[in-house]
Amino acid sequence: MREVFHQSLEDVQNRLVEIAELVTVAIDRATRAFSSSDVALAEEVIQADRIIDEKAVALDELAIEILARQQPVARDLRIVVTALRVSASLERMGDMAEHIAQLARSRFPERAIPKGLKGTFIRMGELDVSVARKLTELLRTEDLGLAEEIRNDDDAIDELHISVFEKVLGDNWKGEAMATVDATLASRYHERFADHAVSVAKKVVYLATGDWTAEPVPVDAPTS
């Protein structure tokens, strides 16, 4: 019976990794579609979001069943509770990727990125993809150094997000109203994607340490 229980816990963790992998694919395709006005790629992201949603719901149902049937304690309980909270954040990350793709589709055949901001959004997209890949590996390995890297990437995305707002609110901004809306929405979606990743990283740190106040391991910290 205990073997079946631990197989179920392993299944929970594997499903989290699977969803994170799908989110990584989604944000990679969404940011490429946004930067290149690739409507076909944008459609792929929009259609695939349903799969992320379905897998998140299925994971939640499994976690609730484990809670009801097995009444886990200690780390086992942390795994199940963390999975419920992480799946919600991963689902929202998928939504952010979908929103970026929807912007690309809605502006086709025109480009979605306003003039003068292409480099900024390309960099934000690169960082979001990096965050997603690191998050997938963090969920797979519980390498807490990755949590610190994710937080650093999020800081960089926040700075780019602020720069977008400074650009569109500046006296030299010549973009039309729609371009201003597109820029602010897209920047917000990129920023929120990374915020959810940081939230997941904090939950993984809690899972590994049992302490909500624990700090991630600095990436340059010496290893013993």
Side-chain angles (χ1 to χ4, degrees):
M1 191 68 176
R2 295 299 297 174
E3 182 178 350
V4 172
F5 171 51
H6 285 292
Q7 286 177 347
S8 296
L9 291 178
E10 184 176 347
D11 189 21
V12 165
Q13 292 179 293
N14 289 339
R15 291 193 191 197
L16 283 175
V17 172
E18 180 187 15
I19 296 170
E21 289 172 341
L22 292 173
V23 168
T24 302
V25 171
I27 192 63
D28 177 53
R29 290 177 175 173
T31 54
R32 285 192 286 122
F34 187 68
S35 64
S36 63
S37 299
D38 188 331
V39 70
L41 200 56
E43 286 287 359
E44 289 181 19
V45 177
I46 294 165
Q47 295 301 318
D49 186 61
R50 174 181 55 83
I51 298 174
I52 294 174
D53 293 346
E54 290 174 352
K55 289 187 177 294
V57 169
L59 174 56
D60 289 350
E61 291 174 348
L62 174 60
I64 291 169
E65 180 181 351
I66 292 172
L67 285 172
R69 291 175 178 268
Q70 303 294 338
Q71 298 181 341
V73 296
R75 176 177 164 84
D76 294 341
L77 179 60
R78 293 205 305 272
I79 291 173
V80 179
V81 172
T82 300
L84 284 167
R85 302 183 69 181
V86 167
S87 69
S89 291
L90 290 174
E91 189 271 334
R92 289 300 295 150
M93 291 172 73
D95 288 345
M96 294 302 105
E98 182 188 17
H99 293 337
I100 293 168
Q102 286 173 335
L103 278 176
R105 183 180 66 177
S106 68
R107 296 291 163 256
F108 183 80
E110 302 297 327
R111 65 180 183 180
I113 299 180
K115 186 177 180 180
L117 287 171
K118 185 171 183 177
T120 299
F121 278 110
I122 288 176
R123 182 54 182 156
M124 290 180 84
E126 291 171 345
L127 286 168
D128 271 342
V129 173
S130 175
V131 161
R133 288 173 176 162
K134 290 173 182 176
L135 187 63
T136 301
E137 189 64 16
L138 174 61
L139 288 167
R140 181 183 290 114
T141 65
E142 292 186 16
D143 177 356
L144 301 189
L146 290 167
E148 177 71 7
E149 292 184 26
I150 290 168
R151 190 168 66 179
N152 290 339
D153 286 345
D154 177 60
D155 289 342
I157 292 169
D158 287 344
E159 291 179 4
L160 291 169
H161 178 55
I162 292 171
S163 77
V164 170
F165 275 76
E166 290 176 343
K167 178 82 171 181
V168 301
L169 293 175
D171 294 337
N172 295 326
W173 176 248
K174 304 301 181 183
E176 297 179 355
M178 189 59 70
T180 303
V181 171
D182 287 348
T184 54
L185 283 176
S187 185
R188 180 61 172 164
Y189 297 150
H190 282 83
E191 187 261 346
R192 287 300 296 156
F193 183 93
D195 282 351
H196 284 294
V198 170
S199 177
V200 172
K202 288 179 179 178
K203 293 177 178 65
V204 176
V205 172
Y206 165 71
L207 173 61
T209 65
D211 182 3
W212 278 115
T213 64
E215 289 292 323
V217 178
V219 294
D220 57 350
T223 56
S224 55

